[in-house]
Amino acid sequence: MKFLKFMAVVGFQSVMAASAWADSHGNHGQQGHHASKPMSGEMVQQMPVAENVKAENCWLRLLPGSAPSAGYFLLHNNRSESVVVVAAVADAFDDVMVHQTRHENGLSRMAMVSEVPVAAGGQLEFKPGSYHLMLEKANRPVQVGDLVEVSIVLKSNERVVASCEVKPAGTLKHSAGMSH
Ligand SMILES: [Cu+2]
């Protein structure tokens, strides 16, 4: 009986979380060009872990102070249909966004992206100068050498779990200078 009661409470909370999320997304009519919003970690934890989609070699580049850290990984889609990355959450950061660095007219700019498709049987690397995660609002001290668990959210409401090693800011310099 105790267990059933517990399940009922968990079920109720997940319904609440899902409807709160739906509300926050329903009220602005910008779905088209608007990039992904940070999702609640609790909501993502309710999602099933995706089969046949894997993230490898995940690492975070830790920047000092309140500067956002960046997250990189290699995503393999071993399915016979494409998958779409729409968001990510992390256990150590309250805000995680999916970004893309673009090079235009010799300048490097980054913008939030709402959907990152990965073709059937394909792979996509989140890497400096391209797609990356931006992680802000650390909710615990994060240090070089730590492991941070990241859940990459697919449009199908499944998640891909990655264990990401925290590396120093200078780990990978790239030509884009201050951007990532
Ligand atoms: Cu960024």
Side-chain angles (χ1 to χ4, degrees):
M1 270 323 266
K2 228 173 191 171
F3 179 70
L4 280 176
K5 193 171 174 188
F6 171 74
M7 288 302 289
V9 170
V10 168
F12 177 70
Q13 283 176 339
S14 76
V15 167
M16 293 298 283
S19 65
W21 183 80
D23 283 347
S24 71
H25 278 66
N27 288 338
H28 58 77
Q30 304 184 325
Q31 242 82 355
H33 65 202
H34 171 78
S36 58
K37 277 194 98 137
M39 267 190 189
S40 103
E42 283 157 41
M43 183 196 156
V44 173
Q45 294 302 322
Q46 313 277 347
M47 295 178 180
V49 173
E51 285 180 27
N52 298 320
V53 184
K54 297 270 177 283
E56 268 185 1
N57 300 334
C58 186
W59 64 283
L60 305 185
R61 188 169 66 171
L62 184 66
L63 293 189
S66 59
S69 295
Y72 308 108
F73 51 86
L74 179 62
L75 196 65
H76 293 273
N77 176 12
N78 299 318
R79 294 183 177 179
S80 55
E81 67 245 21
S82 63
V83 296
V84 181
V85 174
V86 294
V89 299
D91 61 4
F93 294 88
D94 288 341
D95 273 6
V96 182
M97 288 170 290
V98 181
H99 274 193
Q100 182 182 23
T101 301
R102 294 186 176 111
H103 302 279
E104 291 164 4
N105 304 323
L107 294 174
S108 169
R109 303 169 189 279
M110 66 177 189
M112 291 208 281
V113 287
S114 54
E115 300 200 342
V116 182
V118 185
Q123 63 182 43
L124 181 69
E125 189 174 11
F126 279 60
K127 60 185 178 185
S130 179
Y131 292 110
H132 57 275
L133 303 181
M134 295 229 42
L135 306 98
E136 295 183 86
K137 297 184 185 165
N139 54 36
R140 61 172 163 87
V142 177
Q143 294 176 325
V144 171
D146 286 355
L147 287 177
V148 170
E149 189 186 287
V150 170
S151 281
I152 300 150
V153 181
L154 304 180
K155 199 173 187 176
S156 53
N157 285 323
E158 299 165 284
R159 65 191 169 111
V160 179
V161 181
S163 185
C164 307
E165 189 183 343
V166 177
K167 297 190 176 186
T171 301
L172 204 62
K173 299 266 191 214
H174 54 90
S175 54
M178 291 299 288
S179 75
H180 35 249

